[in-house]
Amino acid sequence: MKISNSEKRLRQPIVVVLGHVDHGKTTLLDKIRGTTVVKKEPGEMTQEVGASFVPSYIIEKLAEPLKKVIPIKLQIPGLLFIDTPGHEYFSNLRRRGGSVADIAILVVDITEGLQKQSIESIQILRERKVPFLIAANKIDKIPGWKSTNDIPFLASIEKQRNDVKVYLDNLVYNLVSQLANLGFSAERYDRIKDFTKTVAIVPVSAKTGEGIADLLALLAGLTQRYLETRLKFAEGPAKGVILEVKEDPGLGHTIDVIIYDGVLKKNDTIILGGINGIIITKVRGIFVPRPLQDMKLSKYDLTPIDEVYAAAGVKLSAPNLEEALAGSPLYVIEDESKVEQYKQQIEEEIKEVRLYSDID
Ligand code: GDP
């Protein structure tokens, strides 16, 4: 049977970053975004609302020296990183029976190992069935480590003295044994044979950029290989989750939304959860940040667009959003007869959101 292109098309995996305070989540996200900005084609949009997009050709360029270890020919268009790290925010990313996040990076300061919030993060990832890999961060702090900015980990390790390599291995094995206590088998990524059974540990430095290439290549390679069904792009009506509800100058109340499936168009009718019940409204505007060619532009400068394809982070304006609920699902209603069904579904799902926000 011939498979048409649209059947084969994959959307970009949604990536979240979790980990203990001060282990380097923000620095890592900044480094990934910085790498992308330097390497991207002029005028290309990589900044979305609440998320940043790293296109596949950049990942392929960075991963070129790793071809022998991570042979990837990318079918996914790139990776979409949620900009706000941490497990409190992650809890807003729920979708029926799991999470909007397709994969997570757990950032661990390799010199400290797993700490309280690392373990909490693992528990919540396990609960939501989100696969993860570990960025073993701050390798530049290892005594005797010689850093070279922005090279792959596998190139950097070749430049280290033997005793430094042994020191790193000991730190990695501390992590491995901590993870074993939590019921996970884990290993340094270049020594793994079966990625479905073993959590990959990627030594990185968010400060020097060492290992960022390995991390991106692995994220892309693993998601497109093992999450293909989940990443199949559906042409249908959009499904999303509300990240934040805001009041924007000139736009009134708006919602920041991650669209994880389908297509959203201007004037679509959407249904979402509100503080005092279900809201049905019509999309008046869809906005993304303006490309940052002029650095003087405020980061809130927005460009209106007519439609958006999953996966993407956008801002929506529409009437009656004052009471919209962060963490609620959002669906495009393509057919009036389905309103009741959607209502019930959303009510069930936001019971859980309210419960969680009470606990928080
Ligand atoms: P977060 O709380 O997990 O977001 O951690 P931050 O990204 O704010 O980092 C906490 C501190 O660790 C900051 O002072 C960073 O500069 C520092 N840091 C983060 N990554 C690295 C790294 O790879 N190497 C070193 N030496 N310091 C780092």
Side-chain angles (χ1 to χ4, degrees):
M1 195 177 76
K2 225 176 133 195
I3 301 171
S4 80
N5 268 342
S6 69
E7 274 174 278
K8 271 204 294 196
R9 196 173 142 202
L10 301 180
R11 64 166 173 82
Q12 45 279 69
I14 299 169
V15 187
V16 289
V17 176
L18 306 181
H20 194 71
V21 62
D22 282 346
H23 279 198
K25 300 179 291 294
T26 313
T27 313
L28 182 72
L29 274 164
D30 284 348
K31 184 51 111 180
I32 290 171
R33 279 192 292 251
T35 311
T36 307
V37 171
V38 172
K39 304 246 173 188
K40 75 173 183 167
E41 313 279 328
E44 187 182 52
M45 196 196 75
T46 50
Q47 198 64 28
E48 307 199 7
V49 173
S52 302
F53 178 58
V54 179
S56 277
Y57 73 86
I58 288 178
I59 301 172
E60 280 172 349
K61 232 189 267 180
L62 289 169
E64 178 69 26
L66 296 166
K67 252 192 340 218
K68 279 200 199 120
V69 194
I70 316 175
I72 41 166
K73 179 84 199 71
L74 290 179
Q75 277 120 38
I76 52 169
L79 296 166
L80 188 71
F81 287 85
I82 301 287
D83 280 341
T84 310
H87 58 293
E88 297 86 356
Y89 200 77
F90 173 76
S91 61
N92 266 354
L93 293 169
R94 62 175 74 62
R95 97 183 224 194
R96 253 181 143 189
S99 172
V100 163
D102 298 300
I103 193 163
I105 304 173
L106 180 72
V107 180
V108 181
D109 180 336
I110 196 167
T111 66
E112 290 195 355
L114 300 184
Q115 299 290 322
K116 185 166 171 279
Q117 289 156 10
S118 333
I119 293 166
E120 283 168 16
S121 299
I122 291 174
Q123 276 157 350
I124 173 167
L125 289 169
R126 184 164 14 204
E127 209 177 278
R128 298 274 165 84
K129 303 186 185 75
V130 179
F132 64 97
L133 48 78
I134 292 183
N137 193 28
K138 308 199 186 184
I139 53 170
D140 62 287
K141 279 173 65 183
I142 292 171
W145 188 272
K146 287 203 194 72
S147 284
T148 312
N149 284 350
D150 301 321
I151 62 172
F153 164 71
L154 291 181
S156 187
I157 191 74
E158 288 306 316
K159 295 173 185 277
Q160 309 302 326
R161 286 198 317 258
N162 261 340
D163 61 307
V164 176
K165 288 184 189 168
V166 170
Y167 199 109
L168 171 75
D169 269 343
N170 286 336
L171 292 175
V172 168
Y173 281 104
N174 279 344
L175 262 182
V176 168
S177 79
Q178 278 190 308
L179 285 156
N181 286 336
L182 298 171
F184 290 96
S185 137
E187 182 57 284
R188 204 172 92 180
Y189 89 87
D190 53 311
R191 297 169 179 158
I192 293 179
K193 296 219 166 59
D194 183 351
F195 283 94
T196 60
K197 297 201 176 98
T198 315
V199 174
I201 299 175
V202 188
V204 302
S205 166
K207 189 176 166 192
T208 67
E210 289 162 288
I212 300 296
D214 314 56
L215 188 65
L216 291 176
L218 208 57
L219 282 169
L222 292 180
T223 46
Q224 85 173 15
R225 175 139 183 219
Y226 298 110
L227 303 178
E228 197 184 337
T229 320
R230 202 179 144 105
L231 298 178
K232 280 240 167 70
F233 179 79
E235 289 280 351
K239 295 178 184 161
V241 65
I242 302 175
L243 289 182
E244 284 183 58
V245 183
K246 289 183 186 157
E247 209 175 338
D248 282 271
L251 292 176
H253 282 87
T254 61
I255 47 178
D256 292 355
V257 177
I258 293 289
I259 305 291
Y260 62 84
D261 194 24
V263 192
L264 176 77
K265 301 191 183 82
K266 223 174 134 176
N267 295 322
D268 272 351
T269 302
I270 50 172
I271 183 164
L272 52 133
I275 297 163
N276 293 306
I278 298 293
I279 300 168
I280 298 176
T281 184
K282 217 173 193 169
V283 176
R284 196 186 277 153
I286 308 173
F287 301 91
V288 291
R290 207 184 287 270
L292 286 178
Q293 272 138 353
D294 179 353
M295 296 308 277
K296 280 185 300 237
L297 279 176
S298 134
K299 67 175 176 171
Y300 298 110
D301 257 273
L302 294 166
T303 297
I305 54 176
D306 289 332
E307 59 177 18
V308 62
Y309 289 74
V314 290
K315 181 179 285 295
L316 302 184
S317 71
N320 305 322
L321 291 178
E322 303 81 46
E323 296 194 338
L325 191 63
S328 157
L330 173 149
Y331 301 112
V332 166
I333 304 180
E334 76 285 24
D335 175 351
E336 290 291 322
S337 68
K338 290 194 177 153
V339 169
E340 267 317 304
Q341 187 192 325
Y342 278 124
K343 255 190 189 168
Q344 278 180 13
Q345 193 174 317
I346 293 180
E347 258 155 18
E348 237 166 72
E349 289 175 63
I350 61 177
K351 243 187 251 160
E352 206 194 331
V353 178
R354 292 216 183 91
L355 192 68
Y356 273 95
S357 44
D358 285 348
I359 293 169
D360 293 347

